[in-house]
Amino acid sequence: MPDHPQQNACWSCKGPAGEGLFCAACQALQPPNLQQNYFQMLDHPPTFKVDRTRLETSYQALQQQLHPDRFATRTARERRFSMEHVTRLNEGYATLREPLARAGYLLQLHGRASGDEASGAAPTDPMFLMETMELREALEAIDPAQPDADEKIDAMRQDMERRVEEEEQGMANAFEAHNNTQETTHLEKVAQHMDRLRYHNRFLEEVERLEEKLFV
Amino acid sequence: MAYNDKVLDHYENPRNVGSMDKDDSDVGTGMVGAPACGDVMKLQIRVNDNGVIDDAKFKTFGCGSAIASSSLVTEWIKGKTVDEALEIKNKEIAEELALPPVKIHCSVLAEDAIKSAVSDYRSKKESTSS
Protein backbone atom coordinates (compact mmCIF):
# COMPACT_ATOMS: atom_id res chain seq x y z
CA MET A 1 0.00 0.00 0.00
CA PRO A 2 1.53 3.31 -1.03
CA ASP A 3 0.17 5.05 2.09
CA HIS A 4 2.01 2.66 4.41
CA PRO A 5 5.15 1.62 2.57
CA GLN A 6 6.88 0.47 5.78
CA GLN A 7 4.08 -1.52 7.30
CA ASN A 8 5.38 -4.13 9.77
CA ALA A 9 4.46 -7.70 9.17
CA CYS A 10 2.80 -9.44 12.10
CA TRP A 11 4.97 -12.20 13.56
CA SER A 12 1.89 -14.40 13.94
CA CYS A 13 -0.40 -14.05 10.92
CA LYS A 14 2.33 -12.50 8.68
CA GLY A 15 -0.19 -9.90 7.56
CA PRO A 16 0.27 -6.14 8.01
CA ALA A 17 0.26 -5.56 11.78
CA GLY A 18 -0.41 -1.82 11.66
CA GLU A 19 0.98 0.72 14.10
CA GLY A 20 -0.74 -0.47 17.25
CA LEU A 21 0.34 -2.71 20.09
CA PHE A 22 -1.77 -5.53 18.66
CA CYS A 23 -1.90 -6.84 15.12
CA ALA A 24 -4.69 -5.10 13.24
CA ALA A 25 -5.67 -8.38 11.61
CA CYS A 26 -5.20 -11.17 14.18
CA GLN A 27 -4.91 -9.22 17.48
CA ALA A 28 -1.62 -10.88 18.46
CA LEU A 29 0.54 -8.72 20.72
CA GLN A 30 3.44 -7.17 18.79
CA PRO A 31 6.95 -6.61 20.20
CA PRO A 32 7.79 -3.19 21.67
CA ASN A 33 8.70 -0.60 19.08
CA LEU A 34 12.22 0.38 20.08
CA GLN A 35 12.22 3.22 17.56
CA GLN A 36 9.78 5.01 19.80
CA ASN A 37 11.25 7.18 22.51
CA TYR A 38 9.72 7.30 25.99
CA PHE A 39 7.80 10.47 25.21
CA GLN A 40 6.23 8.90 22.13
CA MET A 41 5.51 5.73 24.05
CA LEU A 42 3.65 7.70 26.72
CA ASP A 43 2.01 10.05 24.21
CA HIS A 44 3.51 13.25 25.57
CA PRO A 45 5.42 16.01 23.74
CA PRO A 46 9.21 15.81 24.32
CA THR A 47 9.46 18.73 26.73
CA PHE A 48 11.04 19.20 30.13
CA LYS A 49 7.84 20.58 31.60
CA VAL A 50 5.49 17.64 31.73
CA ASP A 51 1.82 17.19 32.40
CA ARG A 52 1.99 14.62 35.17
CA THR A 53 -1.67 13.70 34.90
CA ARG A 54 -1.31 13.04 31.22
CA LEU A 55 1.76 10.89 31.80
CA GLU A 56 0.03 8.93 34.50
CA THR A 57 -3.11 8.40 32.44
CA SER A 58 -1.09 7.08 29.50
CA TYR A 59 0.95 4.91 31.78
CA GLN A 60 -2.08 3.36 33.47
CA ALA A 61 -3.83 2.73 30.16
CA LEU A 62 -0.79 1.00 28.68
CA GLN A 63 -0.11 -0.91 31.84
CA GLN A 64 -3.65 -2.23 31.71
CA GLN A 65 -3.38 -3.32 28.09
CA LEU A 66 0.04 -4.86 28.43
CA HIS A 67 0.16 -6.41 31.88
CA PRO A 68 1.51 -9.99 31.85
CA ASP A 69 -1.57 -11.22 33.73
CA ARG A 70 -3.57 -10.62 30.59
CA PHE A 71 -1.34 -12.93 28.62
CA ALA A 72 -1.19 -15.85 31.02
CA THR A 73 -3.08 -18.10 28.60
CA ARG A 74 -1.56 -16.73 25.40
CA THR A 75 1.44 -17.92 23.42
CA ALA A 76 4.91 -17.94 24.99
CA ARG A 77 5.95 -15.32 22.51
CA GLU A 78 3.19 -12.93 23.55
CA ARG A 79 3.98 -13.53 27.20
CA ARG A 80 7.56 -12.53 26.54
CA PHE A 81 6.53 -9.45 24.52
CA SER A 82 4.23 -8.45 27.36
CA MET A 83 7.12 -8.61 29.82
CA GLU A 84 9.30 -6.60 27.47
CA HIS A 85 6.60 -3.99 27.01
CA VAL A 86 5.95 -3.60 30.72
CA THR A 87 9.66 -3.39 31.57
CA ARG A 88 10.16 -0.67 29.00
CA LEU A 89 6.98 1.08 30.09
CA ASN A 90 8.07 1.16 33.73
CA GLU A 91 11.52 2.41 32.80
CA GLY A 92 10.05 5.09 30.61
CA TYR A 93 7.53 6.24 33.17
CA ALA A 94 10.12 6.34 35.96
CA THR A 95 12.44 8.33 33.70
CA LEU A 96 9.90 10.93 32.64
CA ARG A 97 8.35 11.36 36.05
CA GLU A 98 11.57 12.33 37.81
CA PRO A 99 13.00 15.74 36.80
CA LEU A 100 16.67 14.76 36.97
CA ALA A 101 16.18 11.56 34.97
CA ARG A 102 13.89 13.36 32.52
CA ALA A 103 16.46 16.11 31.95
CA GLY A 104 19.17 13.49 31.34
CA TYR A 105 16.94 11.63 28.92
CA LEU A 106 16.12 14.82 27.02
CA LEU A 107 19.84 15.59 26.77
CA GLN A 108 20.32 12.13 25.26
CA LEU A 109 17.55 12.77 22.74
CA HIS A 110 19.38 15.97 21.82
CA GLY A 111 22.44 13.86 21.12
CA ARG A 112 24.33 14.86 24.21
CA ALA A 113 25.68 12.64 27.02
CA SER A 114 22.95 12.06 29.55
CA GLY A 115 24.55 14.28 32.16
CA ASP A 116 25.77 11.39 34.27
CA GLU A 117 29.43 10.93 35.11
CA ALA A 118 30.56 12.01 31.65
CA SER A 119 28.34 15.05 31.57
CA GLY A 120 31.21 17.23 30.45
CA ALA A 121 29.62 20.06 32.36
CA ALA A 122 32.04 22.71 33.53
CA PRO A 123 33.38 22.00 37.03
CA THR A 124 30.95 23.06 39.67
CA ASP A 125 31.39 26.61 40.87
CA PRO A 126 33.54 26.63 44.07
CA MET A 127 31.15 29.07 45.73
CA PHE A 128 28.35 26.60 45.21
CA LEU A 129 30.46 23.80 46.69
CA MET A 130 31.34 26.00 49.65
CA GLU A 131 27.69 26.71 50.25
CA THR A 132 26.83 23.03 49.91
CA MET A 133 29.51 22.17 52.45
CA GLU A 134 28.21 24.80 54.87
CA LEU A 135 24.67 23.51 54.56
CA ARG A 136 25.82 19.94 55.19
CA GLU A 137 27.77 21.12 58.22
CA ALA A 138 24.78 23.03 59.56
CA LEU A 139 22.61 19.96 59.17
CA GLU A 140 25.20 17.82 60.88
CA ALA A 141 25.42 20.32 63.74
CA ILE A 142 21.79 19.82 64.67
CA ASP A 143 21.65 17.84 67.89
CA PRO A 144 18.83 15.30 67.56
CA ALA A 145 18.47 15.27 71.34
CA GLN A 146 17.33 18.90 71.41
CA PRO A 147 13.54 19.39 71.52
CA ASP A 148 13.60 21.79 68.56
CA ALA A 149 15.70 19.48 66.37
CA ASP A 150 12.76 18.51 64.18
CA GLU A 151 11.83 22.15 63.57
CA LYS A 152 15.38 22.99 62.59
CA ILE A 153 15.60 20.02 60.26
CA ASP A 154 12.27 20.92 58.75
CA ALA A 155 13.40 24.49 58.13
CA MET A 156 16.53 23.22 56.37
CA ARG A 157 14.44 20.85 54.29
CA GLN A 158 12.16 23.66 53.18
CA ASP A 159 15.11 25.84 52.33
CA MET A 160 16.58 23.01 50.26
CA GLU A 161 13.29 22.32 48.53
CA ARG A 162 13.27 25.94 47.39
CA ARG A 163 16.77 25.44 45.99
CA VAL A 164 15.63 22.31 44.20
CA GLU A 165 12.76 24.24 42.62
CA GLU A 166 15.18 26.92 41.47
CA GLU A 167 17.37 24.36 39.74
CA GLU A 168 14.36 22.73 38.10
CA GLN A 169 13.15 26.11 36.91
CA GLY A 170 16.65 26.77 35.61
CA MET A 171 16.55 23.51 33.65
CA ALA A 172 13.13 24.35 32.25
CA ASN A 173 14.35 27.79 31.14
CA ALA A 174 17.50 26.37 29.58
CA PHE A 175 15.55 23.74 27.64
CA GLU A 176 13.15 26.39 26.43
CA ALA A 177 15.99 28.65 25.36
CA HIS A 178 17.49 25.70 23.51
CA ASN A 179 14.21 25.01 21.76
CA ASN A 180 14.04 28.62 20.64
CA THR A 181 17.63 29.07 19.53
CA GLN A 182 19.01 25.52 19.03
CA GLU A 183 22.22 26.72 20.66
CA THR A 184 23.97 23.91 22.52
CA THR A 185 25.26 26.26 25.21
CA HIS A 186 21.81 26.00 26.72
CA LEU A 187 22.24 22.25 27.04
CA GLU A 188 25.50 22.90 28.89
CA LYS A 189 23.46 24.93 31.32
CA VAL A 190 21.04 22.07 31.77
CA ALA A 191 23.94 19.76 32.65
CA GLN A 192 25.18 22.27 35.22
CA HIS A 193 21.76 22.50 36.82
CA MET A 194 21.66 18.70 36.91
CA ASP A 195 24.98 18.61 38.74
CA ARG A 196 23.73 21.05 41.34
CA LEU A 197 20.48 19.19 41.70
CA ARG A 198 22.37 15.98 42.54
CA TYR A 199 24.10 17.72 45.43
CA HIS A 200 20.73 18.95 46.64
CA ASN A 201 19.22 15.49 46.35
CA ARG A 202 22.02 14.11 48.47
CA PHE A 203 21.24 16.71 51.09
CA LEU A 204 17.56 15.75 51.08
CA GLU A 205 18.50 12.07 51.43
CA GLU A 206 20.50 13.02 54.48
CA VAL A 207 17.52 14.96 55.86
CA GLU A 208 15.37 11.90 55.39
CA ARG A 209 17.88 9.71 57.15
CA LEU A 210 17.96 12.13 60.09
CA GLU A 211 14.20 12.33 60.29
CA GLU A 212 13.92 8.56 60.34
CA LYS A 213 16.32 8.46 63.24
CA LEU A 214 14.35 11.15 65.02
CA PHE A 215 10.91 9.60 64.71
CA VAL A 216 11.57 5.99 65.57
CA MET B 1 29.98 -3.80 49.30
CA ALA B 2 32.62 -5.09 51.67
CA TYR B 3 35.14 -2.45 52.51
CA ASN B 4 38.79 -3.21 52.79
CA ASP B 5 40.34 -3.00 56.30
CA LYS B 6 42.29 0.18 55.61
CA VAL B 7 39.19 1.92 54.32
CA LEU B 8 37.24 0.79 57.37
CA ASP B 9 39.98 1.97 59.70
CA HIS B 10 39.99 5.46 58.18
CA TYR B 11 36.22 5.49 58.05
CA GLU B 12 35.79 4.51 61.68
CA ASN B 13 38.74 6.53 62.98
CA PRO B 14 39.13 9.35 60.51
CA ARG B 15 42.33 11.33 61.01
CA ASN B 16 42.42 15.09 61.05
CA VAL B 17 38.72 15.81 60.76
CA GLY B 18 37.92 19.45 61.24
CA SER B 19 38.23 22.94 59.91
CA MET B 20 40.72 25.77 59.92
CA ASP B 21 40.10 29.46 59.48
CA LYS B 22 39.76 29.80 55.73
CA ASP B 23 40.61 33.52 55.93
CA ASP B 24 44.02 32.81 57.48
CA SER B 25 46.66 33.70 54.89
CA ASP B 26 48.69 30.56 55.74
CA VAL B 27 45.72 28.30 55.14
CA GLY B 28 44.74 26.92 51.74
CA THR B 29 41.23 25.56 51.35
CA GLY B 30 40.37 23.03 48.70
CA MET B 31 36.76 22.45 47.90
CA VAL B 32 35.82 19.69 45.47
CA GLY B 33 32.74 17.70 44.66
CA ALA B 34 31.60 14.72 42.66
CA PRO B 35 28.55 15.85 40.73
CA ALA B 36 27.71 12.31 39.71
CA CYS B 37 26.97 11.35 43.31
CA GLY B 38 26.78 14.61 45.24
CA ASP B 39 29.78 13.98 47.49
CA VAL B 40 31.56 17.09 48.77
CA MET B 41 35.07 17.24 50.17
CA LYS B 42 36.91 20.06 51.90
CA LEU B 43 40.66 19.80 52.44
CA GLN B 44 42.61 22.49 54.26
CA ILE B 45 46.35 22.85 54.61
CA ARG B 46 48.39 25.17 56.79
CA VAL B 47 51.78 25.99 55.31
CA ASN B 48 54.65 27.28 57.44
CA ASP B 49 57.37 29.76 56.42
CA ASN B 50 59.50 26.96 54.97
CA GLY B 51 56.77 25.96 52.57
CA VAL B 52 56.03 22.81 54.55
CA ILE B 53 52.50 21.69 55.30
CA ASP B 54 52.46 21.51 59.08
CA ASP B 55 48.78 20.77 59.49
CA ALA B 56 45.94 19.40 57.39
CA LYS B 57 42.24 19.00 58.08
CA PHE B 58 39.41 17.56 56.09
CA LYS B 59 35.68 17.34 56.09
CA THR B 60 33.94 14.98 53.69
CA PHE B 61 30.30 14.26 53.15
CA GLY B 62 30.27 11.14 51.08
CA CYS B 63 30.75 7.40 51.08
CA GLY B 64 33.28 5.45 53.14
CA SER B 65 35.83 5.44 50.32
CA ALA B 66 35.64 9.21 49.92
CA ILE B 67 36.11 9.70 53.66
CA ALA B 68 38.99 7.23 53.77
CA SER B 69 40.69 8.81 50.73
CA SER B 70 40.59 12.28 52.26
CA SER B 71 41.63 11.03 55.70
CA LEU B 72 44.60 9.20 54.21
CA VAL B 73 45.63 12.22 52.20
CA THR B 74 45.75 14.46 55.27
CA GLU B 75 48.17 11.98 56.85
CA TRP B 76 50.32 11.83 53.76
CA ILE B 77 50.65 15.55 53.11
CA LYS B 78 51.58 16.56 56.64
CA GLY B 79 55.30 17.29 56.73
CA LYS B 80 55.54 17.49 52.95
CA THR B 81 56.30 20.63 51.01
CA VAL B 82 53.54 22.01 48.86
CA ASP B 83 55.27 20.75 45.73
CA GLU B 84 55.71 17.27 47.19
CA ALA B 85 52.04 17.18 48.13
CA LEU B 86 51.12 17.95 44.53
CA GLU B 87 52.96 14.82 43.43
CA ILE B 88 50.48 12.55 45.19
CA LYS B 89 48.46 10.77 42.53
CA ASN B 90 45.04 9.25 42.87
CA LYS B 91 46.50 5.90 41.80
CA GLU B 92 48.63 5.73 44.95
CA ILE B 93 45.62 6.53 47.11
CA ALA B 94 43.50 3.91 45.37
CA GLU B 95 46.27 1.32 45.71
CA GLU B 96 46.88 2.04 49.38
CA LEU B 97 43.17 1.65 50.15
CA ALA B 98 42.64 -1.15 47.61
CA LEU B 99 39.67 0.74 46.18
CA PRO B 100 37.52 -1.21 43.71
CA PRO B 101 37.11 0.31 40.21
CA VAL B 102 33.72 1.86 41.03
CA LYS B 103 35.35 3.81 43.86
CA ILE B 104 38.35 5.14 41.96
CA HIS B 105 36.58 8.49 41.56
CA CYS B 106 36.84 8.92 45.35
CA SER B 107 40.63 8.88 45.12
CA VAL B 108 40.47 11.27 42.17
CA LEU B 109 38.43 13.58 44.34
CA ALA B 110 41.10 13.48 47.06
CA GLU B 111 43.86 14.26 44.56
CA ASP B 112 41.82 17.15 43.19
CA ALA B 113 41.27 18.40 46.74
CA ILE B 114 45.05 18.68 47.27
CA LYS B 115 45.44 20.62 44.02
CA SER B 116 42.54 22.87 44.92
CA ALA B 117 43.90 23.57 48.43
CA VAL B 118 47.38 24.35 47.07
CA SER B 119 46.05 26.63 44.37
CA ASP B 120 43.96 28.50 46.95
CA TYR B 121 47.02 28.86 49.19
CA ARG B 122 49.17 30.09 46.31
CA SER B 123 46.65 32.60 45.06
CA LYS B 124 46.41 34.00 48.60
CA LYS B 125 50.19 34.35 48.82
CA GLU B 126 50.34 36.06 45.46
CA SER B 127 47.67 38.55 46.38
CA THR B 128 49.33 39.38 49.72
CA SER B 129 52.84 39.72 48.29
CA SER B 130 51.82 41.98 45.43
Side-chain angles (χ1 to χ4, degrees), chain A residues 174-175 177-189:
Chain A
F175 272 122
H178 177 257
N179 280 346
N180 294 336
T181 65
Q182 297 301 314
E183 281 172 22
T184 50
T185 48
H186 298 297
L187 299 182
E188 287 299 315
K189 276 208 99 160

Side-chain angles (χ1 to χ4, degrees), chain B residues 2-4 6-7 92-101 103-104:
Chain B
Y3 277 122
N4 148 291
K6 280 181 184 157
V7 174
E92 302 163 56
I93 303 166
E95 272 169 18
E96 173 70 15
L97 296 171
L99 296 180
K103 292 293 179 183
I104 296 298

Side-chain angles (χ1 to χ4, degrees), chain A residues 30-84:
Chain A
Q30 302 299 303
N33 176 3
L34 301 178
Q35 305 302 314
Q36 256 187 357
N37 66 41
Y38 291 158
F39 286 101
Q40 293 165 330
M41 176 174 73
L42 285 156
D43 186 30
H44 192 289
T47 50
F48 178 71
K49 289 239 166 178
V50 290
D51 178 344
R52 288 174 155 267
T53 319
R54 178 169 171 181
L55 276 182
E56 196 189 335
T57 310
S58 304
Y59 171 75
Q60 301 287 7
L62 287 167
Q63 185 63 258
Q64 214 168 21
Q65 284 180 282
L66 294 165
H67 197 279
D69 286 356
R70 297 182 67 99
F71 299 90
T73 60
R74 305 283 283 268
T75 61
R77 199 146 174 184
E78 283 174 290
R79 291 205 302 274
R80 195 182 78 230
F81 288 155
S82 145
M83 287 295 296
E84 288 173 8

Side-chain angles (χ1 to χ4, degrees), chain A residues 134-205:
Chain A
E134 279 165 9
L135 288 167
R136 293 291 298 261
E137 283 176 332
L139 184 65
E140 190 190 49
I142 295 173
D143 177 1
Q146 292 296 312
D148 62 346
D150 57 340
E151 279 167 40
K152 282 184 179 164
I153 293 171
D154 204 48
M156 293 207 73
R157 173 208 281 283
Q158 284 179 23
D159 167 70
M160 187 50 74
E161 282 167 352
R162 271 193 298 276
R163 292 168 195 261
V164 165
E165 269 168 38
E166 271 172 35
E167 298 303 333
E168 288 178 4
Q169 189 56 51
M171 288 198 277
N173 295 345
F175 272 122
E176 205 182 311
H178 177 257
N179 280 346
N180 294 336
T181 65
Q182 297 301 314
E183 281 172 22
T184 50
T185 48
H186 298 297
L187 299 182
E188 287 299 315
K189 276 208 99 160
V190 170
Q192 285 168 24
H193 285 296
M194 288 176 69
D195 282 352
R196 294 158 68 108
L197 195 50
R198 272 190 220 98
Y199 289 105
H200 291 340
N201 285 345
R202 266 306 274 282
F203 183 93
L204 289 174
E205 279 169 28

